[in-house]
Amino acid sequence: MDDLDETTLRVTDIFKAANIDEEVLKTLSREDLKDLFPGPENFLKRKKLWDMIGPKDGDPDQDRGSGNVSATCAVLTSQPPTSTPVHEITAKTVKLPDPPEYVVYTDSELDMVRSQYFDLLRNGKEKVCKMSKELSCRLIRNTITSMVAILRASPLGKEERYPSKHELRAMSQKIVDYYPMLRDTSDLPYLTIYSKMYKRVQNMKSPRKRQGPKPQRGSAKRSLFETSTEEEGTASSSASTASTVILPESDVSNDDLSPGNTAFGIVCFYFVPNPTQNPNPSDVAQILDLEFDARRAFIDSSVLKEEDRIAKIFEAYPCFKDPQNAMDELRRILGGTNPKYIDETKKKWENFCANVQFYGVWKKVLKPPIPLNMHDVMPLPADFTIAILTGLPSLFPSPTSPPKRLGNPSEALLHVLQAREDPSLYLEKRPLTSPVLLFDGKVCILAVGNVPVSTIPKEEFFDGMLMLMAYYYTMHLTYPKCVATLLSVIQTEVLCDAIHDRDATGAYKRAMAEWKSFIEK
């Protein structure tokens, strides 16, 4: 304590107030000094004290200026952008399913920038804080160097010499969590950091041998997040189209399993090795069959919030943008291994509509003339399909009124586009996120939420209702309240999927009683 000069008398007073003597002073860490002298204005005081009490050169415990920082481990997850402010206490360690445990690099200058960010965050001025190019390059360079060293020192070091793309993506997410000022404003806040880390690894790798005097040119470029050749291993050929990656479950409650939480334990990705080629439908169906249980566990869990469920599922499984794959998924859920389930369901839908047209005339909802024998006029005219889908919500009404901006309950199923009406603009203003059909007189557009999924030929327009039900089941969506009774009736009468007694509402029971009474006549 006698080494302190006159300019550090205030420091002495703080030590005396905290009952810190010379013995305790030798045991203080950097974090202890930050607690005693917080704020950037005391940086020089902390530095001077640490130079006095910190470990000297040659000490094996020295940590001055190094990035070897220990922290609690956290399970890596795919974290989407969020408007919630990042908490200042963020783990620096990224622990993957394999043995390597990577660490986010940090030093005194980086820590000072991070502290300034959170100080500004409390005043709502965090956008002013920027990390200099020199510091960001140092962060990327030292983080990659640390990852390579840790990987080569691990049991996997004999097989893998450089971090994989999955590990780089994981570390880039952890970096933007720990240094929030590096976030991008796009949908992928870690994309810029990931690109720089990926480029750094490519620069570190040994150059490949030339292919000869005439190198092969014109090969398809690989996407940014595509698995590399080393990671594919003994995977299938270039026709293979999908793969699911499942991280182990963590010991946390369901409340912590959210896409924005580091305890999120299941992550699924859908890879297309050659984006220039259309995926082979048979290969896609085979992979979806093999991964059915894991996929349903991911989609049906409470991990996905209702507001971002559609986007997350399409991000993980873009193959479901094909209605045929959604219909196949409906067959897997309800029909099991029955290959004729879809054809049988279409026949049940035809028979149901044949009875509905008479039921609608009896209740004065539908007007004749109507095709008496639907099988003789297949494909059915579009006007008949529009009349059926428009009248169904009135035949099986729900007690809840539709949103005012929606108008008629049938708009939850079908919207007939007017002349020069923009379907994209309509979907943006639509108050519901349920699947819907948009028909302009020639082509039918199938959309889920505000995402146009696919176009349906006019001759398949009649089967559009089954495709809507397929997306309700595939994406585990909740029925809109204004058509819940109708969709429940279709679920039991067409799809033959029973409803639990606790889910059977009074409106559903009354509608089914009237329907059964009419059919039995």
Side-chain angles (χ1 to χ4, degrees), residues 440-456:
D440 64 353
K442 297 180 180 179
V443 179
C444 179
I445 301 175
L446 193 154
V448 182
N450 59 357
V451 180
V453 173
S454 178
T455 57
I456 303 174

Side-chain angles (χ1 to χ4, degrees), residues 454-474:
S454 178
T455 57
I456 303 174
K458 190 175 180 179
E459 54 271 16
E460 299 179 10
F461 181 34
F462 178 71
D463 296 330
M465 186 66 218
L466 295 181
M467 297 180 186
L468 296 183
M469 295 299 297
Y471 277 101
Y472 275 110
Y473 275 80
T474 298

Side-chain angles (χ1 to χ4, degrees), residues 142-159:
N142 292 340
T143 298
I144 293 298
T145 302
S146 173
M147 292 180 69
V148 172
I150 293 174
L151 176 62
R152 295 183 179 181
S154 70
L156 297 178
K158 296 181 180 179
E159 301 176 359

Side-chain angles (χ1 to χ4, degrees), residues 144 162-163 168 197-205:
I144 293 298
Y162 298 96
L168 292 178
M197 295 179 67
Y198 179 79
K199 184 177 180 180
R200 176 64 181 171
V201 171
Q202 295 301 315
N203 293 338
M204 293 179 64
K205 288 185 177 180

Side-chain angles (χ1 to χ4, degrees), residues 233-253:
T234 58
S236 58
S237 63
S238 61
S240 176
T241 56
S243 176
T244 301
V245 180
I246 303 179
L247 301 182
E249 295 284 357
S250 58
D251 297 329
V252 294
S253 61

